[in-house]
Amino acid sequence: PYYPEEAIHNGWEGEVELLLTIGPDGKVSRAELLNSSGYESLDQAALAGAGGWKFLRYLDRKIHVPVQFALNE
């Protein structure tokens, strides 16, 4: 996912844990926030990014996915 400009400017980092429902076509049919990073902009970026993901193995199930936001110095 993209790193929100607000988060970059403020030096925010964190991990977001998502629960993704993967359809038989490999696309994410639903993304839910399980654990927040503590920053709404990072949480929303993770959710928005996951909505466009496609998995090569068609899982047709739910999976937990951590999304790490870290700034490089």
Side-chain angles (χ1 to χ4, degrees):
Y2 72 96
Y3 212 118
E5 193 65 38
E6 173 189 30
I8 294 170
H9 177 75
N10 289 303
W12 297 342
E13 299 180 317
E15 183 174 281
V16 179
E17 187 178 353
L18 302 177
L19 177 64
L20 304 181
T21 302
I22 312 302
D25 60 355
K27 293 180 182 177
V28 175
S29 60
R30 182 180 171 108
E32 301 172 58
L33 182 67
L34 287 181
N35 289 306
S36 172
S37 65
Y39 302 102
E40 185 175 351
S41 62
L42 295 181
D43 297 345
Q44 292 303 314
L47 286 166
W53 295 347
K54 184 170 182 178
F55 290 79
L56 295 177
R57 284 185 38 207
Y58 303 144
L59 303 173
D60 198 19
R61 63 183 178 116
K62 294 183 179 187
I63 58 171
H64 292 145
V65 177
V67 178
Q68 185 72 40
F69 289 92
L71 296 169
N72 297 324
E73 297 187 41

